[in-house]
Amino acid sequence: MNIVVCMKETPSTTAEKSFTADMRLERRKEDAIPNPFDEYAIEEGLRQQEKNPGSTVTMLCMGPATATDTIRKALAMGGDRGVLVTDPALAGSDAISTARVLAAALTKIGYDLVIFGNAAADAYGGVVPSAVAEFLGKPLLSYASQLGIAGDKATIQRQAEIGYNVVEAPLPALVSVVKSINEPRYPSMKGIMASKKKPLDTFSLADLGLDAATVGGAAAREKALGAEKVSTQRKGEIYVGNDGAADRVVAFLVEQKVL
Amino acid sequence: MATEAKLETGAAFLTTPVTEAHFLTPEQFTDEQKLIQESAATFIQREVLPKAEEIRHQEPGLMPSLVKKAGEQGLLMIDVPEEYGGADYGLVVSALVAHEMREASFAVAHGAHTTIGTLPIVFYGTDEQKRTYLPRLATGELIGAYALTEPGVGSDAMGIRTRATLSEDVQYYILNGAKQWISNAGFADLFVVFAKIDDTKHTAFIVEGAWDGISTGAEEKKMGIKGSSTRTLYLDNVKVRVGNVLGEIGKGYKIAFNILNIGRLKLGAGASGGARAALDMAAKYSDERKAFGHPLHGFGMIKKKLAYMAADVYAAESLAFRTVGMVEDARVAAGEDRQAQLAAIEEYAIECSIAKVYGSEALARCVDEGVQIFGGYGFMDEYPISWAYRDARINRIFEGTNEVNRLVAAGTLFQRAMANKVDIFSVFPEIDSQVSSGTAPDFATAETPAALRESVNLVERIKRAAIYSVMKGAMKFMTTIRDEQEFLEYTANQLINIFALDSAVARALSAAREGGVDARAHELMAQVALLKHFNETRAAMEGVLTMAFEGDERRQEIARVRAYLGDPEADIVPLQRELAGIIAERGGYPLK
């Protein structure tokens, strides 16, 4: 089985964030990490490879030329090869542009199972998996908290308000995963050593046969208008005295579904 | 890691003007090194720390299973050559991994295995010995240990009494004796054992734990590092194949001393990591805990503690990784010959001893103030800072006591001076005239950032005043120097602080040029380190002069040094307040 994990390079969640004049996030190489949500996708790809001997795992990323380092970090967790799609014309891509590019790359490299994190920690759009599915005309099994492959069929559990739905689709299929699906491994020193020897290909837009006018900032249909820092001040409520304080605490705990 | 630049010679920091760091700093770690560091940190976080309580109670089988797990991750193969199943990543990576060990008992088990248990075979083993043992040490299939200390014989390693006698069929050495306080003894599969052949020839042997005649005593009950296995190793007519003699017969002490250089350096790197962990714990607590309605870190005396801790961590890690870089460059430049590599490492014996002493003492100060910031809770067992305090204490004792390491640092300085390997004789006349006239030039340059101008000048004046007073003392005590331990201690204390301050200021100068969000934190930590060490360094100089002179001459010499050194103009209080503010804001040590 040909497994492809789509992964994004994002700034570390703890890094200081700043924006360019046109409200693009300033990306510093030293802060770059694999999108934390994608770690679950990478882990799931590696677990499916272990369960399905003979499978290969490819890490596919669209990003700046320096994202090869981030792909190597993913390859240090495991997998066989990396593919980076990079092109100056891609700067400023919105979710649809990104999906168009990933779909073209997937078509070029081939796939049976494509796994995504369900969003990226920088933009939180959460649109890319479904848009890629649309471009490819293939089924998307979204928000998977469990994934099983049997024969040429993929089955997931999708977490619902009460219990979960079981959804299946024929391969090739796309799957987006939620955090409860697994606990991602961390790169071992042995994995880090091995990752240096794994092949890592770089594709440009021309390699994918894409017209620069259809992607990147040129084609972006979303525009960020502003960004504000989230206030991290903690707010506490203090109930004083014997008069009903205990009842209010109980009511609060019931409301929060603690009790 | 090897650079094209000329290798810095040992103790050159004493006579070389402080400039931007021309040595390895944590800011220069490669992506791969940082990834390995993160991997090691995650291993400790996920596999070791959750079991800290069980480790302390020495749950049977737990520690060896953790060491083996570390082996599966690759954390035991770092220093082992590739042809014997290792990664051959070298000292920078292994020091970085030591830096990330946040659980002291595991750190001791890991260090006993990878450093003193494995390195003697890496450096002195025959090809056959390496093929037999290294691949299994690299994976953790075999766990290593090192048996030098005996009841009554500690730092004076030449005095061991364990005997080795050649068997009549000349196939074996028969070993008899007892080795005390052997880390990993409870579960080690392999021991590097030191014994004397015919009571004279100090020799190392590779001894397998399963051989007849090997036994261990009860676990020692210790003040700290309670989870590490520490036992007496008994050797009762143990037959060791002649092929298991390690290195040359009669030269076992060389293995002991040379491997200790690396051990001391890694201890320094590890201690700076432990000090940082203590600061992180204290900073977090000082944010959560309120007194009189305010978080602790709002109070001036707590700010001072946090700032001093950060300055200690900064200086300790700066000098440790500086030395790691120098040693590694020298090792790589020496080529494939392991003996040449060791000779190259020996060049930095002073720096290795300083890394051990400064690191362990910075750690001691940090855990002490850490407990203080936690107040009564810091005294309670369930708070990790109380364990950090207990666990830290051994670092000033093992791998050569800090007293022995002070003797090594000062003694080696004089040996190198006599052999013209460090320039203090040639620079002395100029320094003498500067100090005698009480006028120091401005050592800062046009490029020196304003905030660091005074630091640069103070470091340079301290170096010169130290050379001045130490030379005065050396002239006085030339023939009796070995009997004047207090003089050697004063000398070592000056060397230690100079290396720490030179390393910290140089690193801050580099950070200032780079700019970036951390530049101010670098500056503040270097300044605070300097101001807080200034008085004690001057006291050490005065100690030397007080020993060497009497009456008017004494007063005159001390007055000269005081006048030359001058007093810092900077007020440390606003600096420590600002630094503490950054620590509070970032929730711990200000640098990544």
Side-chain angles (χ1 to χ4, degrees), chain B residues 47-349:
Chain B
E47 308 286 350
V48 180
L49 288 179
K51 300 207 174 73
E53 184 71 25
E54 292 88 335
I55 290 173
R56 277 200 288 280
H57 289 107
Q58 296 203 348
E59 190 179 290
L62 176 58
M63 187 64 92
S65 81
L66 288 173
V67 174
K68 284 177 198 300
K69 242 183 200 168
E72 286 164 22
Q73 292 284 315
L75 294 173
L76 307 180
M77 69 197 310
I78 299 169
D79 298 308
V80 176
E82 277 182 282
E83 63 262 45
Y84 303 108
D88 216 358
Y89 265 120
L91 192 61
V92 178
V93 168
S94 65
L96 256 180
V97 169
H99 186 70
E100 292 307 321
M101 295 285 156
R102 290 292 183 269
E103 204 293 313
S105 296
F106 178 77
V108 169
H110 180 264
H113 173 86
T114 54
T115 306
I116 52 182
T118 300
L119 288 185
I121 300 175
V122 170
F123 280 100
Y124 290 93
T126 61
D127 180 55
E128 195 190 336
Q129 289 167 346
K130 289 179 187 176
R131 272 189 286 116
T132 307
Y133 295 114
L134 288 182
R136 288 183 288 161
L137 286 166
T139 58
E141 185 188 334
L142 296 180
I143 296 180
Y146 178 89
L148 174 63
T149 300
E150 296 181 1
V153 183
S155 293
D156 46 345
M158 298 302 290
I160 55 170
R161 288 195 296 266
T162 297
R163 305 174 74 164
T165 315
L166 192 58
S167 64
E168 282 181 9
D169 61 3
V170 299
Q171 299 297 305
Y172 296 95
Y173 282 97
I174 312 295
L175 265 58
N176 279 291
K179 293 290 178 178
Q180 187 171 252
W181 299 329
I182 306 309
S183 297
N184 289 355
F187 47 77
D189 307 290
L190 202 63
F191 296 85
V192 174
V193 175
F194 293 86
K196 279 186 180 163
I197 298 174
D198 305 331
D199 291 329
T200 53
K201 287 169 260 174
H202 198 289
T203 305
F205 299 86
I206 304 172
V207 178
E208 294 184 22
W211 287 348
D212 284 344
I214 297 271
S215 61
T216 59
E219 285 292 339
E220 301 288 350
K221 303 213 181 311
K222 307 187 292 284
M223 177 197 282
I225 56 166
K226 284 173 175 282
S228 81
S229 171
T230 313
R231 298 185 185 201
T232 298
L233 176 73
Y234 295 104
L235 301 136
D236 180 16
N237 286 316
V238 179
K239 285 167 74 177
V240 180
R241 290 186 298 262
V242 291
N244 273 34
V245 168
L246 182 61
E248 275 182 68
I249 287 173
K251 301 258 175 79
Y253 61 90
K254 281 201 151 188
I255 301 181
F257 295 143
N258 281 325
I259 298 303
L260 274 178
N261 275 330
I262 302 174
R264 286 165 182 168
L265 182 50
K266 280 169 75 170
L267 187 150
S272 67
R276 178 182 173 146
L279 169 58
D280 288 344
M281 278 189 261
K284 192 163 169 283
Y285 184 76
S286 73
D287 185 47
E288 291 163 359
R289 165 79 176 172
K290 291 185 176 60
F292 310 106
H294 296 285
L296 292 185
H297 59 57
F299 296 100
M301 279 195 262
I302 302 295
K303 286 182 190 201
K304 175 185 168 186
K305 292 183 198 302
L306 293 171
Y308 275 31
M309 290 164 87
D312 267 333
V313 174
Y314 187 69
E317 67 177 22
S318 300
L319 75 85
F321 284 104
R322 174 183 190 170
T323 309
V324 165
M326 294 192 300
V327 166
E328 184 64 355
D329 283 349
R331 187 183 75 87
V332 172
E336 291 300 303
D337 179 359
R338 291 280 170 183
Q339 297 313 304
Q341 290 184 9
L342 283 171
I345 294 170
E346 215 182 330
E347 174 79 16
Y348 305 104

Side-chain angles (χ1 to χ4, degrees), chain A residues 12 14-16 29-31 69 72-73 76 183-193 195-197 234, chain B residues 31-32 35-36 39 42-43 46-47 71-75 77-78 82 86-87 89 93 139 287 517 592:
Chain A
S12 150
T14 55
E16 286 285 318
K29 185 185 174 300
E30 62 272 21
D31 292 334
D69 288 345
R72 293 261 178 231
K73 282 183 193 169
E183 190 189 348
R185 69 196 68 189
Y186 55 97
S188 71
M189 211 195 74
K190 278 186 187 165
I192 296 165
M193 286 169 69
S195 72
K196 291 193 289 189
K197 299 190 181 104
R234 282 169 288 187
Chain B
D31 279 350
E32 188 184 18
L35 199 53
I36 294 172
S39 170
T42 310
F43 174 79
R46 286 202 195 175
E47 308 286 350
E72 286 164 22
Q73 292 284 315
L75 294 173
M77 69 197 310
I78 299 169
E82 277 182 282
Y89 265 120
V93 168
T139 58
D287 185 47
V517 289
K592 264 186 206 160

Side-chain angles (χ1 to χ4, degrees), chain A:
Chain A
M1 187 168 50
N2 187 357
I3 304 169
V4 182
V5 178
C6 291
M7 52 168 287
K8 185 178 185 183
E9 177 181 274
T10 60
S12 150
T13 45
T14 55
E16 286 285 318
K17 308 292 191 305
S18 55
F19 296 89
T20 61
D22 57 350
M23 293 313 298
R24 286 183 200 162
L25 189 61
E26 281 191 287
R27 295 174 189 276
R28 282 174 288 267
K29 185 185 174 300
E30 62 272 21
D31 292 334
I33 58 165
N35 169 29
F37 293 105
D38 293 343
E39 288 185 11
Y40 300 88
I42 295 165
E43 176 65 33
E44 197 54 32
L46 299 176
R47 289 190 186 190
Q48 292 303 333
Q49 181 183 36
E50 285 156 13
K51 286 181 199 156
N52 298 280
S55 299
T56 58
V57 175
T58 302
M59 308 295 174
L60 170 62
C61 176
M62 181 187 111
T66 51
T68 47
D69 288 345
T70 301
I71 297 177
R72 293 261 178 231
K73 282 183 193 169
L75 289 171
M77 290 171 71
D80 302 283
R81 65 186 282 231
V83 173
L84 172 66
V85 182
T86 188
D87 200 297
L90 286 169
S93 290
D94 64 3
I96 302 302
S97 282
T98 304
R100 193 187 299 280
V101 171
L102 290 177
L106 285 164
T107 304
K108 185 174 171 78
I109 61 185
Y111 58 92
D112 299 304
L113 175 67
V114 183
I115 309 180
F116 297 82
N118 69 340
D122 50 1
Y124 275 107
V127 179
V128 169
S130 42
V132 175
E134 187 66 23
F135 280 120
L136 293 174
K138 294 288 186 288
L140 169 69
L141 300 169
S142 58
Y143 300 99
S145 59
Q146 204 182 82
L147 169 65
I149 305 291
D152 56 358
K153 210 166 63 181
T155 307
I156 65 153
Q157 287 183 6
R158 180 183 295 149
Q159 205 65 45
E161 182 95 2
I162 305 165
Y164 51 82
N165 303 317
V166 177
V167 191
E168 62 174 48
L171 295 176
L174 287 65
V175 177
S176 71
V177 302
V178 296
K179 283 182 172 184
S180 58
I181 193 167
N182 56 42
E183 190 189 348
R185 69 196 68 189
Y186 55 97
S188 71
M189 211 195 74
K190 278 186 187 165
I192 296 165
M193 286 169 69
S195 72
K196 291 193 289 189
K197 299 190 181 104
K198 293 177 183 173
L200 205 165
D201 300 316
T202 299
F203 296 150
S204 65
L205 284 177
D207 294 331
L208 299 180
L210 287 172
D211 178 356
T214 64
V215 295
R221 283 175 278 182
E222 306 171 10
K223 195 170 174 216
L225 300 176
E228 258 175 69
K229 212 170 184 170
V230 177
S231 164
T232 52
Q233 278 209 326
R234 282 169 288 187
K235 203 179 90 197
E237 273 185 64
I238 298 173
Y239 306 128
V240 190
N242 296 327
D243 190 20
D247 290 342
R248 290 168 72 184
V249 170
V250 171
F252 174 80
L253 292 174
V254 170
E255 190 188 319
Q256 296 296 317
K257 297 189 173 140
V258 178
L259 296 179

